[in-house]
Amino acid sequence: GDSVTQMEGPVTLSEEAFLTINCTYTATGYPSLFWYVQYPGEGLQLLLKATKADDKGSNKGFEATYRKETTSFHLEKGSVQVSDSAVYFCALSDLANAGKSTFGDGTTLTVKP
Amino acid sequence: DTEVTQTPKHLVMGMTNKKSLKCEQHMGHRAMYWYKQKAKKPPELMFVYSYEKLSINESVPSRFSPECPNSSLLNLHLHALQPEDSALYLCASSHRTGYEQYFGPGTRLTVT
């Protein structure tokens, strides 16, 4: 079945540091890939997406590139802010699996001033 | 309007109560979802509706009963819940199944 593996957290960074959160996946078909963010006490928000190989999703300074050869979708940001502190989930949707979404376990990011 | 709304925000219920959670979206999405999320865990899929028909039921106990009265509304009826059902219940919608999902803020459910 489909699966998503995220780097283990939590991750603690100083403000303006570079962020990478690793994500790899296995899927039956050709999935779409997503990063969602969840702030404390809230639901998930779509951060960015990529629907085919070599697509780059970007939003609010975050980027991730769909790498089919390495089955990866790593999240990066060049300079994090305190307001980026949240839980980040990598996810895929696979039409070969009835369009169901599979989520990674989540990575908690804390950014200190 | 890119918002999914959920009511109530918080709910405390006893094990013999019957209650309902409500979800609404006005984005014209034809897929709607219920998830259960425990603290520090990813969302767990419970149900998927596609074009107002139940398309996925992830072997959820019958004490949870979903309903999709129309393309904008999704309900989750609760009856005889157990304390281990206490969690954040998230509703989401998407253009079609397989597309990016838009989540509501969730209902924090406590079963006493």
Side-chain angles (χ1 to χ4, degrees), chain B:
Chain B
D1 184 1
T2 58
E3 191 179 21
V4 176
T5 59
Q6 290 187 243
T7 55
K9 194 171 177 62
H10 300 278
L11 178 62
V12 179
M13 58 186 291
M15 289 189 284
T16 58
N17 291 159
K18 284 185 182 181
K19 297 287 185 183
S20 296
L21 309 185
K22 296 185 183 301
C23 174
E24 191 166 6
Q25 58 88 15
H26 294 288
M27 294 178 277
H29 290 172
R30 304 311 298 271
M32 295 187 77
Y33 311 77
W34 280 116
Y35 289 90
K36 173 183 178 181
Q37 187 181 29
K38 291 280 206 178
K40 300 191 183 301
K41 295 292 187 182
E44 298 173 41
L45 183 65
M46 300 175 72
F47 304 102
V48 180
Y49 274 83
S50 179
Y51 290 86
E52 296 95 71
K53 291 192 183 335
L54 184 65
S55 62
I56 296 175
N57 177 340
E58 292 288 84
S59 303
V60 178
S62 60
R63 57 186 184 269
F64 296 90
S65 175
E67 179 195 20
C68 189
N70 60 55
S71 60
S72 299
L73 293 174
L74 188 65
N75 298 322
L76 186 62
H77 303 296
L78 314 173
H79 172 57
L81 295 191
Q82 304 298 308
E84 60 264 29
D85 297 321
S86 298
L88 181 67
Y89 287 83
L90 294 165
C91 174
S93 70
S94 64
H95 178 61
R96 304 287 187 271
T97 56
Y99 285 70
E100 66 272 19
Q101 295 179 29
Y102 293 81
F103 285 81
T107 294
R108 176 73 60 187
L109 174 67
T110 302
V111 181
T112 60

Side-chain angles (χ1 to χ4, degrees), chain A residues 7 11 13 18-23 74-77 80 107:
Chain A
M7 67 182 286
V11 174
L13 295 173
F18 185 86
L19 168 70
T20 300
I21 301 177
N22 289 338
C23 172
H74 305 320
L75 182 68
E76 296 183 336
K77 186 175 186 184
V80 294
T107 300

Side-chain angles (χ1 to χ4, degrees), chain A residues 2 19 24 27 38 45 55 64 67 75 85-86 95 108:
Chain A
D2 296 344
L19 168 70
T24 58
Q38 187 172 30
Q45 299 176 25
D55 268 2
R67 301 284 187 203
L75 182 68
S85 298
L95 288 177
T108 300

